[in-house]
Each structure stands twice: as C-alpha cells, then as structure tokens.
Amino acid sequence: MRFGYRDACLRHETGTRHPESSDRLRAIRRRLSRLHEVEYEAGELATREAMERVHNSAYLDEVESFCADGGGTWDADGVGVEATWEAARASAGLSVWAANAALDGAQGGDTPFASGRPPGHHAEPDEAMGFCFLGNAGVAAADALARDDVDRVAVFDWDVHHGNGTQKMFYERGDVHYSSIHERGLFPGTGHVDEPGRGAGQGTTLNIPYQGGCGDREYLAAIDDVLRPGLERHDPDLLIVSAGFDAHEHDPISRMRVSTEGYGAMARRLDDLCDDLDAAIAFVLEGGYGLDALADSVAMVHETMHGRDPLEPDGEANDRARERLDEVRAEHGL
Ligand code: ZN
C-alpha cells in the first residue's frame, strides 16, 4: 500500500498517560518496516479552503489561536500543544491525499492509507471532541466532491466509536453516505439506528450500534447484509474507510472482539464491494490504542490489499446482532 505519513503528526504531544499518543504511529511504522512494498507519501497540509468545506471559519480560528498560544487542555480528554495545529492540518491533508490518489487510480497494492494523527471522526463542524480537531475523513470527502469526476462519496467507519463529527457534517446532504458500526454505550453516545439523515440527506446516514462482545462474524454480517445494499443504492465514486482499530479484541478501551484477521476480511469485503461499484477506496486512520493490535491490524490490511487471503470466521453472527441488522434494514428499507 501507499501510506500517507508526516513527522509533523508525531509532534502533537498529548502527555505520557494519554491513549492517543505519537507511539501509535511509531508502532505502525515499526511494524510496516518488516514488510515489503510499503511506500510513504507526505501529502500537503490541508488548505483553509479544504477545511472550510466542513468546518466553520470561526472554529478554525479558535483552534489555530489555541495552539499558537501554546495549547493546553481543550476539554476533558482533548489536549493540544503549539505543534497540534500543524499536526491536525497534516493529518487532514494526508486524508485528502489518500482520497485523491484513490480517485486517480491507485488500487490493489497501491491502495492509499492515510496514517496520520490526531484522528478526526469526532470533530464536529464547530467543535473539537474525543481527541479530534479536524474531521480528516470529512475534509477528504468534501474535497473529493469538488472534483468534476465525483458526484457521490461514502464514508464507512469501523472505529469502535461512533463518528458523530462525520455524521454531523453530512447529515443533511445527499451526496455523502455515512455509515458506522460502533459499540453501543461508548463515547460519544450518538449513532442510533433512527438517525437516518434529514432533508436531502434522508437515508444517507446508516448506523449499526452493536452490543459489546461482537467480533468478526458480526462485523462481516453488517457489511454483507446492510452496508453492501446501502452502498449499492448510493452508488458512490469513492469509499473512504474511517479505519480505527479499537474494536480489536486486544484493544484496552472497548469490549469488541474483532481479530487481526477480521480486519483483513473486512478490508477484502470492502475492496470487493468497491470493485463491484466501480468505486475508488481509500483508508484513513482513526483510533486504536493497543499498540501491537493496532500495528498488526494495519499490517494485515496492507497484506490483504497485496493479495493475502484473510481467514474467514466460521458460523453465524449472534442473535442480538442479527436482530439489530433487521432493525437497520427496516429503518432503511433494505
Ligand atoms: Zn475510536
């Protein structure tokens, strides 16, 4: 794969006890250094124009001056330093690079993966939240839509948390389909089945809140039984995967049970789906706080895009998950 990476993303310092640390990127880089066919691209810092497609101008000014003043504590779990502004713009810029590279034909072993931080999917149009300052996937989705060859984009978010920020950016827009599998009851508490979008965006937000304890079978069933028909209807030109790895069975902050192999199987499903839809695919890093689990899972996605056959789990999704998928299908008429 081609990984988007910039040293600037390391300089967003969060302190020694913060789960969203620069060690996450170091662990990924170290793991990838053992593999073949890993290429890196630095992208560009996100431009003001690109950021303003999804964020309010006054909010951007506020974050920029917060960082220029040395940063500090933004909210209960968000911290920043002077270098955070550049890191956030680098992280968003890597997502923009990934989306454009995919749209320009990068696929298979060249599939782009933006490995930046801070993550993005909790950042709302006018508020930083949940370790996120700029909505990286959202910035990239809106930027892609500015191209003449793009009419519709989809974002699929497999991070264990709901991407409230991405959802909010596009909730009333028909040209961006946002879907998410997340653990019910975790931060930030949004992402219910009956949040389907509004106005022109009616039907283009698709939430699959699962009980803790779900794993590969339940995640793959969600992709096969709900996401696939949903995206066949939306017919996107580009799928951006908001790829957090905190639903991993060895992640310290969730109760989900996705295995390293499971992330490979999901990547394969999504790549096949994009082939069928004639859509480009790009990955954007979100969360993931178990360093080995994170690094191994990113490596698994890389190997899968290079043709490794992921192991398929045996058996069916559990009953509660199947009931939840029935609810989602009913809500969306799928
Ligand atoms: Zn997360």
Side-chain angles (χ1 to χ4, degrees):
M1 295 182 90
R2 293 161 68 196
F3 285 87
Y5 170 81
R6 249 180 199 258
D7 283 339
C9 292
L10 299 177
R11 295 195 280 271
H12 164 55
E13 299 283 352
T14 50
T16 51
R17 296 214 182 119
H18 202 285
E20 203 294 286
S21 78
S22 52
D23 286 343
R24 299 175 61 235
L25 297 190
R26 290 191 186 91
I28 291 171
R29 295 263 295 185
R30 209 161 36 240
R31 183 72 180 79
L32 293 177
S33 70
R34 293 193 240 140
L35 303 176
H36 297 294
E37 300 177 286
V38 175
E39 292 174 39
Y40 287 101
E41 305 265 351
E44 305 284 342
L45 298 185
T47 63
R48 184 82 187 192
E49 184 187 17
M51 294 187 284
E52 283 191 1
R53 291 200 175 98
V54 291
H55 289 290
N56 299 350
S57 183
Y59 165 71
L60 295 172
D61 290 343
E62 192 185 352
V63 178
E64 185 173 11
S65 57
F66 167 76
C67 297
D69 292 345
T73 303
W74 180 277
D75 60 15
D77 49 24
V79 294
V81 293
E82 191 174 345
T84 295
W85 179 238
E86 188 184 346
R89 289 181 62 205
S91 191
L94 292 171
S95 303
V96 169
W97 160 78
N100 281 299
L103 287 165
D104 291 339
Q107 57 178 314
D110 287 332
T111 301
F113 190 128
S115 60
R117 65 180 282 277
H121 71 156
H122 296 306
E124 297 197 338
D126 59 358
E127 189 57 88
M129 275 177 68
F131 318 157
C132 303
F133 289 89
L134 298 174
N136 305 322
V139 171
D143 195 70
L145 284 165
R147 291 169 56 125
D148 290 338
D149 57 349
V150 176
D151 295 320
R152 285 173 304 283
V153 173
V155 178
F156 170 58
D157 188 332
W158 77 33
D159 187 279
V160 80
H161 303 97
H162 179 242
N164 58 294
T166 316
Q167 171 169 311
K168 199 165 189 178
M169 286 166 183
F170 303 111
Y171 201 64
E172 299 187 31
R173 285 176 62 159
D175 50 2
V176 178
H177 186 283
Y178 175 75
S179 54
S180 172
I181 307 176
H182 44 273
E183 182 177 329
R184 212 175 152 185
L186 289 189
F187 179 90
T190 49
H192 302 287
V193 174
D194 62 353
E195 295 169 16
R198 192 164 46 224
Q202 181 68 38
T204 61
T205 295
L206 193 159
N207 284 310
I208 306 166
Y210 270 161
Q211 296 293 328
C214 290
D216 300 352
R217 286 184 288 267
E218 289 75 28
Y219 274 69
L220 292 170
I223 292 173
D224 293 340
D225 299 348
V226 173
L227 184 69
R228 174 175 271 272
L231 290 192
E232 283 172 347
R233 191 157 73 187
H234 185 67
D235 191 22
D237 303 296
L238 167 69
L239 173 65
I240 297 171
V241 184
S242 257
F245 295 90
D246 40 10
H248 194 283
E249 57 190 335
H250 297 138
D251 189 276
I253 69 172
S254 89
R255 293 178 299 150
M256 290 307 199
R257 311 282 310 156
V258 177
S259 71
T260 302
E261 288 284 350
Y263 284 108
M266 285 201 283
R268 170 58 55 82
R269 287 290 211 290
L270 297 175
D271 194 44
D272 288 348
L273 174 56
C274 285
D275 270 353
D276 294 345
L277 298 175
D278 199 20
I281 184 168
F283 292 83
V284 171
L285 183 64
E286 298 285 357
Y289 306 102
L291 296 183
D292 290 338
L294 169 65
D296 288 348
S297 300
V298 172
M300 178 61 69
V301 171
H302 166 79
E303 292 187 343
T304 302
M305 301 312 281
H306 278 273
R308 180 188 193 280
D309 279 328
L311 288 179
E312 287 284 329
D314 291 329
E316 297 274 301
N318 68 43
D319 289 347
R320 288 183 83 172
R322 290 213 307 258
E323 281 166 25
R324 180 50 47 93
L325 295 178
D326 286 343
E327 267 176 62
V328 178
R329 273 198 296 265
E331 175 72 33
H332 286 268
L334 294 170

